[in-house]
Amino acid sequence: MTAHELYATAMRRALELAAHGPVTGGNPQVGCVLLNAFGDIVAEGWHHGAGTPHAEVDALSKLPTNPTGAPDATNLTAVVTLEPCNHTGRTGPCSVALIEAGIERVVYAVADPGPVAGGGSQRLRDAGIDVIEGVGGAQADAFLHAWLTATRLGRPFVTVKWASSLDGRAAAADGTSQWITGTPSRQRVHEQRAQSDAIIVGTGTVFADDPTLTARGDAGELLSHQPLPVVIGERGIPATAKLRKRPFVEARSRDLSAVLSDLFDRGILRAYVEGGPTLASSFIEAGLADEYVIYLAPKLIGGPKLAIGDVGVGTIGDARELHITSVESLGDDIMIVARPGLDHTQPPKGP
Ligand SMILES: NC(=O)c1ccc[n+]([C@@H]2O[C@H](COP(=O)([O-])OP(=O)(O)OC[C@H]3O[C@@H](n4cnc5c(N)ncnc54)[C@H](OP(=O)(O)O)[C@@H]3O)[C@@H](O)[C@H]2O)c1
C-alpha cells in the first residue's frame, strides 16, 4: 500500500469517527486518527461538541505521556478530517497541541475556511512539520457541506422544508393543512428539527397555527436537542402564543440576510425554514436556500394554497435549477432532498 492509500484509508476511518459528534452547536464534526511509522492506528478521537476537546486533542489524550506529562506523538502521523485550528477559543489551538506533542506529519482533508480558526497548517509548517492537504477532500467536503457553507458565507446553512400534496398544495382552500403527510414523514421532520440549531417560521404561520416548534419523539416526548425557534416578521409574536413559554428569537424584520447574519453571530449554523409559503418563497427568491426537503403526500387538493408562491421567476429560462440528492419513501409519502444546481455558495470568480 502506498503512503497515499494508507492516508486515504485512515481518512475514511477519521470520517466515521467524525460522524459520532453532534451536528448542532456551531462546531464542525471532526475525526482524527494517529498512525505510527508502520501505518497502524494507535489512537482515535473525535470532537464531542462545543466546549470539549477538539478531535486532535481527543486522540492525543489517548497516547502515553512523556516525562513532562504531555502526550508523546513522536514519529506519529495525524490524519484529520479538517485543518487543525489555529485559535484559542474554549480550548487551545490544535496546531499547537500537535506541535507540542512532537507530531511528525499532519494529513488533513479540507482547509478550515474560517477567518478565525484557519491558518493552522501554516503554523504546523512553520514548526517544521510535514503537512499534506486534500486527502479524502471530496468526501470530507460533502460530509461537512453545511458547516463549510455556513462558515464561508457567515450565515447559517439554510434548509427550506415544506409538505404538500402531489399537486403542490400546502393547505386546502379553507386553510386547513393538518395533516397533509403521514406519521413517518412527520417523525422525520422532528428528527430534522433536532439536527438543526434553529427552526424558522414567518409570523403568518404563528398567527395561523400557534406552533410550539419543538422536536419530539414518537410518543410526543421532547428530543434531547431542541432547536431555537425563530419567528421572522414585522408583526412579531402574539402575546398569547405558545412559543412565548420557550426561549425564542423574535426577528421583527423582513430583511432575511440581516436576520441570518444575526443568527450566525449567535452560533446558529444550521437553520430549518418551515414556512409558511410566503416566507419560504422569499428565502428562495433571495437565493438564501441551500437545501430543499420536500415531503409529497399522495393527495390532490387543488385550489389556491400553493406550497410555494412567487420566487422571482417570470420566464422558464429563469427557473431555479435544482439537483436531487435523495428520494426516500416514508410510509405513503415521498421525501425529496434537493440542492441548488449551481453552487451559489461560492463567491463569483474573478476575470
Ligand atoms: N405545508 C407546510 O409545509 C406548511 C408549513 C408551514 C406553514 N404552513 C401553512 O402556511 C400558512 C401560513 O403561511 P403564510 O404564507 O401565510 O405565512 P408565513 O410564510 O409563515 O409568514 C409570512 C410573513 O412572514 C413575514 N416575513 C418576514 N420576512 C419576510 C420576507 N422577506 N418576505 C415576506 N414575508 C416576510 C411577513 O410578516 P409581517 O407582516 O409580520 O412582516 C409575512 O406576512 C398556515 O396556514 C400554515 O398552516 C404550511
Side-chain angles (χ1 to χ4, degrees):
M1 198 186 275
T2 65
H4 186 85
E5 286 164 352
L6 186 72
Y7 298 148
T9 303
M11 191 63 80
R12 283 195 286 278
R13 175 63 187 151
L15 277 169
E16 282 173 12
L17 294 167
H20 292 305
V23 294
T24 55
N27 279 18
Q29 293 173 287
V30 185
C32 176
V33 299
L34 300 176
L35 305 176
N36 65 17
F38 304 104
D40 304 319
I41 293 179
V42 295
E44 298 183 333
W46 70 90
H47 180 47
H48 294 247
T52 66
H54 288 184
E56 301 89 323
V57 175
D58 188 39
L60 289 172
S61 73
K62 293 164 188 162
L63 294 176
T65 51
N66 62 28
T68 65
D72 185 356
T74 316
N75 299 326
L76 299 188
T77 294
V79 177
V80 57
T81 53
L82 181 68
E83 178 185 3
C85 77
N86 190 31
H87 92 297
T88 305
R90 279 173 279 191
T91 58
C94 295
S95 46
V96 171
L98 290 163
I99 294 165
E100 288 178 351
I103 202 89
E104 181 175 304
R105 181 178 302 104
V106 173
V107 178
Y108 67 91
V110 284
D112 187 330
V116 180
S121 57
Q122 192 54 50
R123 192 161 185 167
L124 290 163
R125 285 193 181 96
D126 290 347
I129 291 165
D130 184 22
V131 177
I132 302 172
E133 181 189 345
V135 174
Q139 293 89 335
D141 211 74
F143 174 75
L144 279 176
H145 179 71
W147 183 84
L148 289 169
T149 302
T151 306
R152 283 183 191 124
L153 298 178
R155 63 156 176 81
F157 180 84
V158 172
T159 297
V160 173
K161 164 254 161 185
W162 68 83
S164 77
S165 56
L166 272 191
D167 58 343
R169 266 58 178 191
D174 66 354
T176 50
S177 62
Q178 287 185 327
W179 304 98
I180 288 181
T181 49
T183 306
S185 295
R186 298 205 300 276
Q187 195 49 51
R188 184 61 68 87
V189 168
H190 282 282
E191 288 165 17
Q192 288 166 347
R193 285 180 174 184
Q195 292 180 341
S196 307
D197 295 313
I199 305 181
I200 299 179
V201 295
T203 50
T205 293
V206 176
F207 277 96
D209 298 347
D210 193 16
T212 55
L213 301 180
T214 49
R216 302 184 293 279
D218 288 343
E221 78 283 9
L222 291 180
L223 298 178
S224 59
H225 174 73
Q226 291 297 319
L228 181 70
V230 177
V231 179
I232 311 184
E234 288 166 352
R235 284 170 288 173
I237 306 175
T240 55
K242 289 184 194 140
L243 268 182
R244 291 208 171 270
K245 299 197 179 90
R246 308 184 53 204
F248 59 88
V249 171
E250 186 178 35
R252 284 182 169 252
S253 166
R254 291 186 177 185
D255 183 341
L256 302 181
S257 292
V259 171
L260 289 180
S261 173
D262 176 57
L263 292 176
F264 184 80
D265 291 343
R266 294 170 186 249
I268 304 290
L269 267 68
R270 284 174 182 258
Y272 192 63
V273 176
E274 289 216 40
T278 307
L279 189 71
S281 305
S282 295
F283 267 96
I284 298 167
E285 182 167 13
L288 293 170
D290 303 306
E291 182 178 71
Y292 299 84
V293 177
I294 301 162
Y295 291 88
L296 290 178
K299 293 174 182 164
L300 299 174
I301 297 177
K305 303 281 189 185
L306 295 167
I308 290 298
D310 183 4
V311 293
V313 175
T315 180
I316 197 67
D318 294 340
R320 286 175 189 264
E321 303 286 344
L322 306 182
H323 70 269
I324 292 175
T325 59
S326 69
V327 178
E328 195 179 329
S329 291
L330 290 167
D332 293 335
D333 305 326
I334 294 171
M335 181 186 75
I336 298 171
V337 180
R339 290 193 177 155
L342 296 173
D343 189 355
H344 68 302
T345 64
Q346 297 295 329
K349 291 210 169 30

